[in-house]
């Protein structure tokens, strides 16, 4: 077959897109020009983002340079705005507002997911998600600021409200945010004590009957026990009825005074795929077991935005998890290479290797290869897994963990990300919004 160089365009550099690019540049480098379109110049290792918000890890530790680790791929900074399957083009907007178009011979859509919204009054205005670096940096500053303001509050009521933190959604993200956040606020009040008798209050809410409802019940019980032992109020079968600037109204009628509402109820596929005019499954682009979009052999999709048939569970689709996205990215890369004459294409199959939940400090819950672990052993397995899975920065991450174990955390707020720059309703959580001019509308104008 012809060996003219083919243009391969990968949209998105999350777990799926990054892995696809890495595989392609290794397998088909001689005949493919690989272009990666992404809003940022880094791959974000999302599972460690709660540790950034808690001050355990510095932000750059969980970001891996795309140009540094994918030297044979061309990086184009921009947000994809539309895909023309007939013309084989992708239109995008660059970081400075300019527009461009990229042509392709093969396309890999790995655009990922965004915050899931529910029609709850006030949530879009007063809650913040946890899908990108700007949101983690905002939460870290915001929690620090609330403790500092609570320490000098004029009334006990204000002190309690500012030191109360509500997390909605007890899945992976919400559970880890609550666990890490509780450790952060305990460290903060050791330096800036609150009024006598007042301690930081963390609440974790979920409509499900238990935390981590998607995981094994033993992992759920372990995580629940650790949270409750630390004083986190875990409330299952509970949801938010309304959110205001002064607190949240629960569906049982209780009003909780708070200045912090973290929305971790789940994710939805990136809205880009809904504009393709192709069949969807709950907002995800339907693909075949080879990750091809039916009717378009030149188009592949993987990760959270793709509905991939689960061959281990006929009739179902693989869940939206980082594990699946990482593995699907590899298969997508191999199948694109196969379409260029390198190797044989393969269907996506998986076997669960277990799950890990980092609960901060030495606590964790894990079941590697079906073996249930808790406490320090689970913590060691969890950190070892993350170090092995990260495509870079391993030494820096390990060094931060070591320093956190022997040194106190730096309790400062940098004020770099304001509330209005990380809205809950956004198609690009990896980017902080930068309007022409906007005062902070959240909680009295503080940054």
């Amino acid at each position: 077959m012809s060996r003219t160089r083919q243009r391969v365009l990968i949209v998105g550099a999350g777990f799926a897109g990054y892995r696809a690019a890495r595989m392609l540049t290794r397998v088909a480098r001689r005949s493919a020009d690989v272009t990666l379109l992404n809003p940022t110049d880094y791959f974000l290792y999302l599972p460690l983002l709660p540790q950034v918000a808690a001050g355990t890890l510095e932000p750059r530790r969980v970001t891996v340079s795309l140009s540094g680790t994918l030297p044979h791929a061309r990086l184009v900074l921009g947000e994809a705005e539309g895909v023309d399957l007939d013309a084989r083009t992708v239109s995008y907007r660059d970081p400075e507002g300019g527009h461009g178009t990229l042509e392709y011979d093969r396309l890999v859509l790995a655009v990922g997911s965004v915050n899931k919204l529910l029609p709850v009054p006030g949530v879009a205005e007063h809650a913040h998600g946890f899908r990108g670096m700007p949101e983690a940096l905002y939460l870290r500053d915001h929690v620090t600021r609330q403790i500092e303001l609570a320490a000098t509050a004029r009334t006990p009521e204000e002190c309690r409200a500012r030191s109360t933190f509500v997390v909605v959604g007890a899945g992976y993200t919400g559970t880890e945010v609550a666990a890490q956040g509780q450790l952060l606020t305990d460290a903060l009040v050791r330096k800036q004590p609150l009024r006598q008798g007042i301690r930081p209050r963390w609440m974790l809410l979920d409509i499900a009957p238990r935390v981590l409802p998607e995981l094994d019940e033993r992992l759920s019980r372990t995580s629940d026990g650790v949270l409750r032992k630390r004083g986190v109020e875990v409330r299952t079968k509970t949801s938010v009825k309304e959110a205001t600037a002064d607190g949240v109204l629960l569906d049982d009628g209780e009003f909780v005074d708070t200045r912090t509402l973290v929305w971790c109820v789940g994710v939805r596929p990136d809205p880009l795929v809904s504009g393709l005019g192709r069949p969807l499954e709950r907002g995800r682009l339907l693909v075949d077991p080879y990750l091809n979009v039916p009717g378009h052999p030149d188009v592949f999709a993987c990760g959270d935005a793709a509905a991939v048939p689960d061959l281990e569970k006929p009739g179902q689709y693989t869940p939206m998890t980082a594990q699946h996205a990482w593995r699907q990215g590899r298969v997508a890369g191999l199948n694109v290479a196969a379409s260029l004459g390198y190797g044989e294409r393969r269907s996506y199959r998986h076997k669960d290797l277990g799950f890990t939940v980092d609960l901060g400090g030495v606590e964790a819950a894990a079941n590697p290869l079906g073996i249930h672990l808790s406490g320090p052993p689970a913590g060691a397995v969890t950190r070892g897994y993350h170090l092995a899975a990260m495509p870079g920065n391993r030494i820096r991450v390990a060094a931060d963990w070591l320093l956190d174990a022997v040194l106190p955390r730096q309790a400062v707020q940098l004020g770099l990300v304001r509330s209005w720059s990380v809205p809950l309703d956004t198609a690009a959580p990896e980017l902080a919004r930068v309007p022409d001019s906007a005062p902070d509308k959240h909680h009295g104008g503080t940054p």
Side-chain angles (χ1 to χ4, degrees), residues 109-130:
L109 290 171
V111 289
S113 55
V114 298
N115 293 311
K116 182 179 180 180
L117 300 178
L118 296 177
V120 179
V123 164
E125 295 80 13
H126 303 290
H128 290 285
F130 202 82

Side-chain angles (χ1 to χ4, degrees), residues 257-273:
D257 292 314
T258 181
R259 302 294 184 270
T260 308
L261 178 59
V262 187
W263 195 254
C264 301
V265 298
V267 295
R268 57 190 171 102
D270 190 294
L272 178 75
V273 298

Side-chain angles (χ1 to χ4, degrees), residues 71-396:
H72 301 292
R74 172 190 172 217
L75 173 64
V76 175
L77 290 177
E79 296 177 65
E81 294 186 314
V83 179
D84 189 328
L85 296 177
D86 295 324
R88 290 187 171 187
T89 60
V90 174
S91 57
Y92 68 94
R93 182 180 60 199
D94 68 32
E96 296 186 345
H99 295 270
T101 301
L102 295 170
E103 299 178 340
Y104 65 84
D105 297 303
R106 301 290 189 277
L107 175 65
V108 179
L109 290 171
V111 289
S113 55
V114 298
N115 293 311
K116 182 179 180 180
L117 300 178
L118 296 177
V120 179
V123 164
E125 295 80 13
H126 303 290
H128 290 285
F130 202 82
R131 290 293 301 164
M133 183 62 73
E135 293 167 324
L137 294 177
Y138 168 75
L139 183 61
R140 180 173 171 175
D141 271 3
H142 175 78
V143 169
T144 302
R145 180 169 60 252
Q146 293 308 309
I147 293 297
E148 291 172 346
L149 292 174
T152 59
R154 285 171 285 188
T155 66
E157 292 76 18
E158 181 186 356
C159 180
R160 290 191 181 91
R162 291 195 180 278
S163 58
T164 296
F165 307 92
V166 178
V167 180
V168 183
Y172 273 115
T173 302
T175 298
E176 292 191 350
V177 166
Q180 299 283 354
Q182 187 273 335
L183 291 179
L184 171 62
T185 53
D186 272 7
L188 293 174
V189 297
R190 281 196 288 269
K191 297 179 180 179
Q192 289 189 302
L194 305 180
R195 286 173 174 260
Q196 187 173 3
I198 298 179
R199 297 285 301 171
R201 179 189 185 192
W202 282 84
M203 299 179 66
L204 179 61
L205 316 177
D206 201 298
I207 195 66
R210 60 186 176 91
V211 301
L212 299 169
E214 68 274 25
L215 298 187
D216 179 89
E217 286 193 21
R218 289 177 296 178
L219 291 179
S220 176
R221 288 196 300 269
T222 298
S223 301
D224 185 279
V226 170
L227 292 173
R228 292 180 187 274
K229 184 178 179 180
R230 290 184 185 164
V232 176
E233 296 180 35
V234 179
R235 297 198 187 183
T236 56
K237 300 181 181 180
T238 303
S239 63
V240 172
K241 186 176 182 180
E242 182 181 1
T244 72
D246 298 316
V248 294
L249 177 64
L250 306 184
D251 59 0
D252 61 4
E254 180 184 356
F255 186 84
V256 179
D257 292 314
T258 181
R259 302 294 184 270
T260 308
L261 178 59
V262 187
W263 195 254
C264 301
V265 298
V267 295
R268 57 190 171 102
D270 190 294
L272 178 75
V273 298
S274 64
L276 296 177
R278 304 306 302 164
L280 303 175
E281 168 63 30
R282 296 186 179 181
R284 303 162 73 187
L285 184 64
L286 276 171
V287 298
D288 63 22
Y290 299 95
L291 307 182
N292 263 131
V293 176
H296 294 272
D298 57 326
V299 181
F300 301 77
C302 50
D304 286 356
V308 180
D310 191 337
L311 299 183
E312 301 295 322
K313 301 176 181 178
Q316 300 185 35
Y317 298 92
T318 58
M320 299 165 68
T321 67
Q323 268 193 38
H324 282 296
W326 187 249
R327 297 172 183 174
Q328 289 169 12
R330 179 179 183 275
V331 173
L334 290 172
N335 287 350
V336 171
S339 74
L340 301 176
Y342 293 89
E344 299 291 330
R345 72 173 188 160
R346 60 189 67 187
S347 59
Y348 177 71
R349 287 184 176 273
H350 73 93
K351 290 187 178 180
D352 290 335
L353 300 177
F355 298 91
T356 63
V357 183
D358 193 326
L359 301 172
V362 298
E363 295 288 349
N367 61 348
L369 303 176
I371 303 172
H372 181 69
L373 299 174
S374 61
V381 168
T382 298
R383 293 195 169 186
Y385 168 78
H386 288 314
L387 288 179
M390 288 192 71
N393 294 351
R394 296 186 181 95
I395 295 177
R396 289 185 172 93

